């Protein structure tokens, strides 16, 4: 009959059996039994295989020694049989013994011209192939060759014999079968012994488990005492009993201190929120009510994420997550009226009885965040164009260079100088020049990706970081896009349309030669080369451009004087 889970779905008998087996294996008797079986299966198998191998090898060595002795004995008898008929009779006799299935004499002496080669075998398919070990050719016959010598040492031929390996095979098979039976009996006995020992060990543990559950359910009068011969379990039971007695004594003290704590918490000047282990609100003091606009009764039992205006924050976040997040994260709080504000949280975990809880101290940091943003903008962004300034450009360039070294890709730095901007600034005034710089910044920013950096380097100079380029030719397309963008006139309110061009220097750096100072200098030198070539164009840095840039700077300085 199928069982049902709490959700109402039926559990198949196979699933029930699997769950029961899993429960048994995870128990102490199950773990001990599995451990013994695994150890026996590994080391026992290795030991048994080693012993069997040595025993089988001993049988085979004895067989080979016996065969060699018999072969040399027959060799001496063959030497005494000086005629073909006698040798044939000898071979017939040894074949009838059953142990030898192949016999062959090959004369090899000028004194035995009257004796012919003799061969006898008990099977047509028997072919002499000399063996160097039992069953080396898997034909069931051990072939051996022995010289036939006279008493004076003269070799008159070769005796070839084939011995049946059936007997030694039967002996080794019988040995293996007996070993397997012994191993199974030993394994079964070991299994029963391990189960018996494990059950004896687990009984007092189950007693402790039952008593501990009663205490956990609130029955602090339940004594933790077990009868066991295992010293460690007896000591554990005594320690747990001592702990229970301490809990009973402390529970009375906690009841008194809890009332005092609740009064202090309720009237604290700082907003304090207490969370349970699931990050649900347990307490919400008066200062927190003023900060968020909720009454405590409206939030008790609600998840704390309800007070955070961050859609990416998971709703099932636990107190451990809150503790780590509060140490490094600023939040946006949500009030009851829907308004939001910047929020700082300080978290401290504590024990309330047997439960771990967290106290959050909240602080409205909206004014501080606004001030820090203003200071950051002043430090890292140009106040006129709102583009990254030189300091932020340097930082991002260092980061891009580190990325180039790790990814082995290329990086391009573009150095732009506006052609004729000084004349416009001197003629139309600084206000017009500033408005023109703002328009140029907006147009440049619109031409690049969010991963690129467009910065105002200073005056009428702009720098651009383009990471992750595939080849140097990509920079040509980028520069041509910029020049085309500058071809359109700028509409400056009160001054009409102003046409402006730019000269662009490009430096490309690879992973092996990418240095912050060098790549900026190279882009600057390439820009001066573009100026020298007639402006409104771009140049990619080449080693010989330095002299050209120096000449251009000297000539421009002379004209200004």
């Amino acid at each position: 009959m199928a069982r049902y889970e709490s959700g109402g779905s039926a559990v198949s008998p196979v699933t029930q059996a699997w769950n029961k087996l899993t429960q048994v294996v995870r128990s102490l008797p199950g773990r001990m039994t599995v451990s013994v079986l695994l150890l026996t299966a590994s080391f026992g198998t290795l030991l048994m295989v080693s012993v069997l191998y040595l025993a089988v090898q001993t049988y085979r060595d004895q067989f080979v020694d016996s065969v060699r002795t018999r072969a040399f004995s027959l060799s001496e008898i063959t030497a005494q049989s000086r005629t073909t008929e006698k040798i044939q009779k000898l071979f017939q006799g040894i074949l009838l013994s059953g142990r030898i299935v192949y016999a062959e004499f090959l004369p090899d002496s000028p004194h035995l011209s009257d004796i012919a080669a003799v061969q006898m075998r008990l099977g047509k398919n028997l072919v002499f192939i000399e063996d160097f070990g039992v069953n080396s050719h898997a034909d069931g016959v051990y072939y051996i060759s022995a010289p036939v010598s006279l008493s004076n040492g003269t070799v008159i031929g070769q005796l070839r014999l084939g011995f049946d390996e059936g007997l030694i095979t039967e002996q080794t098979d019988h040995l293996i079968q007996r070993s397997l039976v012994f191993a199974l009996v030993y394994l079964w006995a070991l299994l029963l012994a391990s189960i018996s020992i494990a059950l004896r060990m687990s009984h007092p543990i189950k007693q402790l488990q039952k008593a501990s559950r009663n205490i956990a359910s609130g029955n602090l009068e339940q004594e933790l005492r077990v009868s066991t011969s295992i010293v460690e379990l007896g000591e554990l039971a005594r320690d747990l009993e001592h702990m229970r007695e301490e809990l009973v004594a402390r529970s009375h003290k906690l009841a008194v201190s809890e009332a005092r704590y609740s009064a202090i918490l309720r009237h604290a000047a700082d907003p304090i929120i207490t969370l349970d282990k699931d990050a649900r609100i347990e307490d919400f003091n008066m200062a927190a009510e003023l900060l968020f606009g909720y009454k405590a009764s409206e939030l008790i039992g609600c998840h704390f994420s309800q007070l955070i205006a961050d859609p990416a924050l998971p709703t099932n976040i636990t107190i451990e997550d809150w503790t780590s997040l509060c140490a490094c994260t600023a939040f946006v709080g949500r009030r009851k009226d829907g308004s939001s504000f910047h929020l700082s949280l300080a978290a401290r975990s504590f024990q309330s009885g047997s439960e771990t809880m967290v106290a959050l101290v909240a602080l409205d940091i909206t004014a501080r965040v606004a001030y820090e943003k203003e200071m950051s903008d002043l430090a890292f962004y140009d106040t006129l164009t709102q583009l990254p300034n030189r300091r932020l450009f340097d930082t991002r360039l260092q980061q891009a260079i580190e990325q180039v070294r790790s990814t082995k890709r290329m990086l391009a730095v573009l150095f732009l100088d506006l052609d004729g901007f000084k004349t416009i600034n001197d003629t139309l005034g600084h206000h017009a020049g500033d408005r023109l710089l703002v328009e140029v910044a907006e147009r440049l920013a619109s031409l690049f990706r969010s991963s690129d950096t467009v910065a105002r380097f200073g005056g009428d100079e702009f720098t651009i970081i383009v990471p992750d380029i595939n080849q140097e030719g990509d920079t040509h397309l980028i520069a041509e896009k910029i020049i085309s963008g500058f071809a359109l006139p700028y509409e400056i309110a009160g001054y009409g349309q102003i046409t402006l061009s730019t000269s662009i220097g490009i430096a490309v750096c690879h992973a092996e030669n990418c240095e912050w100072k060098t790549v900026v200098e190279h882009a600057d030198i390439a820009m001066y080369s573009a100026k020298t070539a007639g402006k409104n164009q771009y140049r990619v840095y080449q080693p010989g451009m330095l002299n050209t840039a120096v000449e251009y700077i000297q000539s421009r300085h002379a004209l200004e004087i």
Side-chain angles (χ1 to χ4, degrees):
M1 183 175 180
R3 295 178 60 187
Y4 290 85
E5 294 180 338
S6 58
S9 58
V11 180
S12 66
V14 175
T15 304
Q16 294 179 31
W18 174 255
N19 292 338
K20 184 65 176 178
L21 177 61
T22 304
Q23 184 179 1
V24 171
V25 171
R26 289 181 177 178
S27 64
L28 177 61
R31 289 178 185 272
M32 288 188 62
T33 303
V34 171
S35 300
V36 170
L37 288 178
L38 289 177
L39 288 174
T40 304
S42 55
F43 295 106
T45 302
L46 180 62
L47 179 61
M48 187 182 72
V49 170
S50 301
V51 173
L52 277 177
Y53 173 79
L54 292 176
V56 170
Q57 194 63 36
T58 301
Y59 277 3
R60 290 182 174 180
D61 290 342
Q62 292 175 353
F63 172 76
V64 171
D65 292 341
S66 173
V67 164
R68 291 183 183 277
T69 301
R70 183 73 183 278
F72 282 104
S73 176
L74 291 175
S75 170
E76 294 176 358
I77 297 173
T78 303
Q80 298 172 5
S81 303
R82 303 295 296 271
T83 64
T84 302
E85 292 78 9
K86 289 182 179 182
I87 294 174
Q88 288 176 343
K89 289 181 179 180
L90 174 64
F91 284 3
Q92 289 174 354
I94 61 178
L95 291 179
L96 289 175
S97 67
R99 289 191 61 192
I100 299 176
V101 297
Y102 179 92
E104 182 181 11
F105 173 70
L106 298 176
D108 186 18
S109 174
H111 304 289
L112 299 177
S113 58
D114 56 335
I115 299 179
V118 179
Q119 183 188 77
M120 290 187 181
R121 51 190 174 183
L122 296 180
K124 296 182 179 180
N125 297 327
L126 297 178
V127 178
F128 180 84
I129 302 176
E130 188 169 3
D131 288 301
F132 297 97
V134 177
N135 202 25
S136 59
H137 293 105
D139 54 4
V141 179
Y142 182 84
Y143 292 101
I144 186 172
S145 174
V148 179
S149 305
L150 299 177
S151 58
N152 59 3
T154 303
V155 177
I156 62 174
Q158 291 288 329
L159 176 64
R160 294 179 174 180
L161 299 173
F163 289 81
D164 186 8
E165 295 177 343
L167 179 61
I168 185 63
T169 301
E170 291 178 2
Q171 290 176 341
T172 55
D173 290 345
H174 183 59
L175 176 63
I176 292 173
Q177 291 173 2
R178 284 186 298 172
S179 300
L180 288 176
V181 171
F182 173 77
L184 290 175
V185 172
Y186 170 76
L187 184 61
W188 181 250
L190 193 62
L191 179 63
L192 293 178
S194 62
I195 292 175
S196 176
I197 295 172
L199 289 175
R200 290 188 61 187
M201 291 182 63
S202 64
H203 179 67
I205 295 177
K206 289 182 177 180
Q207 287 181 314
L208 282 177
Q209 183 184 39
K210 182 179 179 181
S212 299
R213 287 178 177 174
N214 289 334
I215 293 174
S217 63
N219 183 15
L220 293 179
E221 302 304 322
Q222 171 73 52
E223 294 186 357
L224 287 164
R225 300 186 186 279
V226 296
S227 176
T228 176
S229 59
I230 302 174
V231 176
E232 290 80 1
L233 288 178
E235 292 178 351
L236 175 62
R238 286 192 294 272
D239 292 341
L240 291 175
E241 173 62 17
H242 177 70
M243 181 182 67
R244 183 195 68 81
E245 294 173 352
E246 289 292 324
L247 286 175
V248 172
R250 291 181 182 181
S251 62
H252 299 293
K253 296 180 181 180
L254 286 175
V256 176
S257 63
E258 187 175 347
R260 186 183 303 115
Y261 161 76
S262 298
I264 295 173
L265 177 65
R266 184 66 183 163
H267 296 89
D270 293 325
I272 301 176
I273 305 163
T274 306
L275 307 181
D276 66 9
K277 62 182 179 63
D278 298 319
R280 298 191 176 277
I281 299 173
E282 284 277 328
D283 200 6
F284 203 73
N285 74 349
M286 295 173 63
E289 291 178 346
L290 293 174
L291 178 62
F292 288 95
Y294 287 96
K295 292 293 183 182
S297 58
E298 297 178 276
L299 291 176
I300 299 300
C302 297
H303 199 276
F304 180 70
S305 58
Q306 180 177 332
L307 300 176
I308 302 299
D310 186 355
L313 192 69
T315 57
N316 59 345
I317 191 168
T318 62
I319 57 170
E320 289 82 4
D321 301 323
W322 278 116
T323 303
S324 58
L325 281 174
C326 291
C328 59
T329 307
F331 302 91
V332 177
R334 181 192 293 118
R335 294 189 175 92
K336 183 177 180 179
D337 59 7
S339 62
S340 59
F341 63 100
H342 291 282
L343 175 67
S344 172
L345 294 171
R348 179 65 61 88
S349 61
F350 65 94
Q351 290 296 126
S352 177
S354 60
E355 185 177 359
T356 301
M357 305 185 73
V358 166
L360 298 177
V361 179
L363 179 64
D364 186 348
I365 58 170
T366 303
R368 190 183 78 186
V369 170
Y371 176 76
E372 290 175 351
K373 183 179 186 304
E374 182 180 356
M375 292 299 100
S376 176
D377 290 346
L378 290 175
F380 295 105
Y381 289 88
D382 179 56
T383 56
L384 176 63
T385 62
Q386 303 304 312
L387 290 178
N389 60 14
R390 185 167 181 172
R391 178 183 296 180
L392 184 54
F393 169 81
D394 291 344
T395 301
R396 290 188 179 178
L397 180 57
Q398 289 282 18
Q399 295 170 351
I401 289 173
E402 292 299 324
Q403 184 180 3
V404 166
R405 291 170 180 167
S406 62
T407 61
K408 308 301 181 184
R409 301 288 297 272
M410 290 188 292
L411 164 74
V413 173
L414 285 72
F415 204 114
L416 280 68
D417 185 88
L418 304 182
D419 298 330
F421 178 77
K422 185 177 184 303
T423 302
I424 296 173
N425 207 29
D426 293 343
T427 304
L428 301 179
H430 292 288
H431 179 71
D434 289 347
R435 293 299 307 149
L436 181 58
L437 287 175
V438 172
E439 293 293 330
V440 169
E442 292 177 354
R443 186 172 296 184
L444 278 176
S446 68
L447 296 175
F448 288 89
R449 306 168 300 182
S450 59
S451 58
D452 303 329
T453 298
V454 180
R456 186 185 179 193
F457 204 69
D460 60 343
E461 294 176 333
F462 295 85
T463 49
I464 303 168
I465 304 171
V466 184
D468 241 2
I469 62 173
N470 297 317
Q471 55 188 354
E472 188 175 308
D474 294 344
T475 61
H476 296 248
L477 299 176
I478 296 171
E480 289 170 0
K481 183 169 67 171
I482 295 173
I483 291 174
S484 298
F486 270 82
L488 299 175
Y490 293 90
E491 189 70 35
I492 307 299
Y495 300 95
Q497 291 186 343
I498 298 177
T499 302
L500 188 68
S501 63
T502 182
S503 298
I504 306 172
I506 304 172
V508 178
C509 71
H510 306 264
E512 60 274 7
N513 63 349
C514 202
E515 297 293 337
W516 167 79
K517 185 177 180 181
T518 304
V519 70
V520 175
E521 288 179 352
H522 287 176
D524 192 14
I525 291 171
M527 182 272 293
Y528 281 119
S529 178
K531 288 277 189 185
T532 305
K535 304 180 181 180
N536 194 29
Q537 53 187 294
Y538 66 91
R539 288 289 184 272
V540 179
Y541 173 78
Q542 300 296 331
M545 288 182 174
L546 180 59
N547 294 332
T548 304
V550 172
E551 292 173 0
Y552 174 79
I553 294 172
Q554 290 175 347
S555 62
R556 189 174 70 172
H557 181 66
L559 289 174
E560 291 176 353
I561 293 175

Coordinates of all heavy atoms in Angstrom, one line a residue, residues 417-437 440 460 486 488-490 492 495-502 535:
D417 N 43.3 66.6 -29.2 CA 43.5 68.1 -29.0 C 42.6 68.8 -30.0 O 42.7 68.5 -31.2 CB 44.9 68.4 -29.2 CG 45.2 69.9 -28.8 OD1 45.4 70.1 -27.6 OD2 45.2 70.7 -29.7
L418 N 41.8 69.7 -29.5 CA 40.9 70.5 -30.4 C 41.7 71.5 -31.3 O 42.5 72.3 -30.7 CB 39.8 71.2 -29.6 CG 39.0 70.3 -28.6 CD1 37.9 71.1 -27.9 CD2 38.3 69.2 -29.4
D419 N 41.4 71.4 -32.6 CA 42.1 72.3 -33.5 C 41.5 73.7 -33.4 O 40.3 73.9 -33.6 CB 42.1 71.8 -34.9 CG 42.7 70.4 -35.0 OD1 43.7 70.2 -34.3 OD2 42.3 69.6 -35.9
G420 N 42.3 74.8 -33.2 CA 41.9 76.1 -33.2 C 41.0 76.5 -32.0 O 40.3 77.6 -32.1
F421 N 41.0 75.7 -31.0 CA 40.1 76.1 -29.8 C 40.5 77.4 -29.2 O 39.7 78.2 -28.7 CB 40.1 74.9 -28.8 CG 39.2 75.2 -27.6 CD1 37.9 75.2 -27.6 CD2 39.8 75.6 -26.4 CE1 37.1 75.5 -26.5 CE2 39.1 75.9 -25.3 CZ 37.7 75.9 -25.4
K422 N 41.9 77.6 -29.1 CA 42.4 78.8 -28.4 C 41.9 80.1 -29.1 O 41.5 81.1 -28.5 CB 43.9 78.8 -28.4 CG 44.5 79.9 -27.7 CD 46.0 79.8 -27.6 CE 46.7 80.9 -26.8 NZ 46.3 82.2 -27.2
T423 N 41.8 80.0 -30.5 CA 41.3 81.2 -31.2 C 39.8 81.4 -30.9 O 39.4 82.6 -30.7 CB 41.5 80.9 -32.7 OG1 42.9 80.7 -33.0 CG2 41.0 82.1 -33.5
I424 N 39.0 80.3 -30.8 CA 37.6 80.5 -30.5 C 37.5 81.1 -29.1 O 36.6 82.0 -28.9 CB 36.9 79.1 -30.6 CG1 36.9 78.6 -32.1 CG2 35.5 79.2 -30.1 CD1 36.4 77.3 -32.3
N425 N 38.2 80.6 -28.2 CA 38.2 81.0 -26.8 C 38.5 82.5 -26.7 O 37.9 83.2 -25.9 CB 39.1 80.1 -26.0 CG 38.6 80.0 -24.5 OD1 37.4 80.1 -24.2 ND2 39.5 79.9 -23.6
D426 N 39.6 82.9 -27.4 CA 40.1 84.3 -27.3 C 39.1 85.2 -28.0 O 38.9 86.4 -27.6 CB 41.4 84.4 -27.9 CG 42.5 83.7 -27.1 OD1 42.2 83.4 -25.9 OD2 43.6 83.4 -27.7
T427 N 38.5 84.7 -29.1 CA 37.6 85.6 -29.9 C 36.2 85.7 -29.3 O 35.7 86.8 -29.2 CB 37.4 85.0 -31.3 OG1 38.8 84.9 -31.9 CG2 36.6 85.9 -32.2
L428 N 35.6 84.6 -29.0 CA 34.2 84.6 -28.5 C 34.1 84.7 -27.0 O 33.0 84.9 -26.4 CB 33.5 83.3 -29.0 CG 33.4 83.2 -30.5 CD1 32.7 81.9 -30.8 CD2 32.7 84.4 -31.1
G429 N 35.2 84.4 -26.3 CA 35.2 84.5 -24.8 C 35.1 83.1 -24.1 O 34.8 82.1 -24.8
H430 N 35.5 83.1 -22.9 CA 35.5 81.9 -22.1 C 34.2 81.2 -22.0 O 34.1 80.0 -21.9 CB 36.2 82.1 -20.8 CG 37.6 82.5 -20.8 ND1 38.6 81.6 -21.2 CD2 38.2 83.7 -20.6 CE1 39.8 82.2 -21.2 NE2 39.6 83.5 -20.8
H431 N 33.1 82.0 -21.9 CA 31.8 81.4 -21.7 C 31.5 80.5 -23.0 O 31.0 79.4 -22.8 CB 30.8 82.5 -21.5 CG 29.4 81.9 -21.4 ND1 28.9 81.2 -20.3 CD2 28.3 82.0 -22.3 CE1 27.7 80.8 -20.5 NE2 27.3 81.3 -21.6
A432 N 31.7 81.1 -24.1 CA 31.5 80.3 -25.4 C 32.4 79.1 -25.4 O 32.0 78.0 -25.9 CB 31.7 81.2 -26.6
G433 N 33.7 79.3 -25.0 CA 34.6 78.2 -25.0 C 34.1 77.1 -24.1 O 34.2 75.9 -24.4
D434 N 33.6 77.5 -22.9 CA 33.1 76.4 -22.0 C 31.9 75.7 -22.5 O 31.8 74.5 -22.4 CB 32.7 77.1 -20.6 CG 34.0 77.6 -19.9 OD1 35.1 77.1 -20.2 OD2 33.8 78.3 -18.9
R435 N 31.0 76.4 -23.1 CA 29.8 75.8 -23.7 C 30.2 74.8 -24.8 O 29.6 73.8 -25.0 CB 28.8 76.9 -24.3 CG 28.2 77.8 -23.3 CD 27.3 76.9 -22.3 NE 26.4 76.1 -23.0 CZ 25.9 74.9 -22.6 NH1 26.4 74.5 -21.4 NH2 25.1 74.2 -23.3
L436 N 31.2 75.2 -25.6 CA 31.7 74.4 -26.7 C 32.3 73.1 -26.1 O 32.1 72.0 -26.7 CB 32.7 75.2 -27.6 CG 33.3 74.4 -28.8 CD1 32.2 73.9 -29.7 CD2 34.3 75.2 -29.5
L437 N 33.1 73.2 -25.1 CA 33.7 72.0 -24.4 C 32.7 71.1 -23.9 O 32.8 69.8 -24.0 CB 34.6 72.5 -23.3 CG 35.9 73.1 -23.6 CD1 36.7 73.6 -22.4 CD2 36.8 72.2 -24.4
V440 N 31.3 69.3 -27.0 CA 32.3 68.3 -27.5 C 32.3 67.1 -26.6 O 32.3 65.9 -27.0 CB 33.7 68.9 -27.5 CG1 34.7 67.9 -27.7 CG2 33.8 70.0 -28.6
D460 N 41.7 71.9 -23.5 CA 41.0 71.4 -24.7 C 41.5 70.0 -25.1 O 41.4 69.6 -26.3 CB 41.1 72.4 -25.9 CG 42.5 72.6 -26.3 OD1 43.4 72.2 -25.6 OD2 42.7 73.1 -27.4
F486 N 33.0 65.1 -35.5 CA 33.4 66.5 -35.4 C 33.1 67.3 -36.7 O 33.1 68.5 -36.6 CB 34.9 66.6 -35.1 CG 35.3 66.6 -33.7 CD1 35.4 65.4 -33.0 CD2 35.5 67.8 -33.0 CE1 35.7 65.4 -31.6 CE2 35.8 67.8 -31.7 CZ 35.9 66.6 -31.0
L488 N 30.3 67.7 -38.0 CA 29.0 68.4 -37.9 C 29.3 69.6 -37.0 O 30.0 69.6 -36.0 CB 28.0 67.5 -37.2 CG 27.6 66.2 -38.0 CD1 26.7 65.4 -37.1 CD2 27.0 66.6 -39.3
P489 N 28.7 70.8 -37.4 CA 28.9 72.0 -36.6 C 28.2 71.9 -35.2 O 27.3 71.2 -35.0 CB 28.3 73.1 -37.5 CG 27.3 72.4 -38.3 CD 27.8 71.0 -38.6
Y490 N 28.7 72.7 -34.3 CA 28.2 72.8 -32.9 C 27.3 74.0 -32.8 O 27.7 75.1 -33.2 CB 29.3 72.9 -31.9 CG 30.1 71.6 -31.8 CD1 31.3 71.4 -32.6 CD2 29.7 70.6 -31.0 CE1 32.0 70.3 -32.5 CE2 30.5 69.4 -30.9 CZ 31.6 69.2 -31.7 OH 32.4 68.1 -31.6
I492 N 25.8 76.6 -30.6 CA 26.0 77.2 -29.2 C 25.1 78.4 -29.1 O 25.1 79.3 -29.9 CB 27.5 77.7 -29.1 CG1 28.5 76.6 -29.4 CG2 27.7 78.2 -27.7 CD1 28.3 75.4 -28.5
Y495 N 25.7 82.2 -29.9 CA 26.9 82.3 -30.7 C 26.7 81.7 -32.1 O 27.7 81.7 -32.9 CB 28.1 81.7 -30.0 CG 28.4 82.3 -28.7 CD1 27.9 81.8 -27.5 CD2 29.1 83.5 -28.6 CE1 28.1 82.4 -26.3 CE2 29.4 84.1 -27.3 CZ 28.8 83.5 -26.2 OH 29.1 84.1 -25.0
G496 N 25.6 81.0 -32.3 CA 25.4 80.4 -33.6 C 26.1 79.1 -33.8 O 26.5 78.4 -32.8
Q497 N 26.4 78.7 -35.0 CA 27.1 77.4 -35.3 C 28.6 77.7 -35.3 O 29.1 78.6 -35.8 CB 26.6 76.9 -36.6 CG 25.2 76.4 -36.6 CD 24.9 75.7 -38.0 OE1 25.6 75.9 -39.0 NE2 23.8 75.0 -38.0
I498 N 29.3 76.7 -34.7 CA 30.8 76.8 -34.6 C 31.3 75.5 -35.2 O 30.9 74.4 -34.8 CB 31.3 77.0 -33.2 CG1 30.8 78.3 -32.6 CG2 32.8 76.9 -33.1 CD1 31.2 78.5 -31.2
T499 N 32.2 75.6 -36.1 CA 32.8 74.4 -36.7 C 34.2 74.1 -36.0 O 34.9 75.1 -35.9 CB 33.0 74.5 -38.2 OG1 31.8 74.8 -38.8 CG2 33.6 73.3 -38.8
L500 N 34.4 72.9 -35.7 CA 35.6 72.5 -34.9 C 36.1 71.2 -35.4 O 35.3 70.3 -35.7 CB 35.3 72.5 -33.4 CG 36.4 72.3 -32.5 CD1 37.3 73.6 -32.5 CD2 35.9 72.1 -31.1
S501 N 37.4 71.0 -35.5 CA 38.0 69.7 -35.8 C 39.0 69.3 -34.7 O 39.2 70.1 -33.7 CB 38.8 69.8 -37.1 OG 39.9 70.7 -37.0
T502 N 39.5 68.1 -34.8 CA 40.4 67.6 -33.7 C 41.5 66.8 -34.4 O 41.4 66.2 -35.4 CB 39.6 66.8 -32.7 OG1 40.5 66.4 -31.7 CG2 39.1 65.5 -33.4
K535 N 46.6 68.8 -39.1 CA 45.4 68.8 -38.2 C 44.2 68.0 -38.9 O 44.3 67.6 -40.0 CB 45.0 70.2 -37.8 CG 46.1 71.0 -37.2 CD 45.6 72.4 -36.8 CE 46.8 73.2 -36.2 NZ 46.4 74.6 -35.9

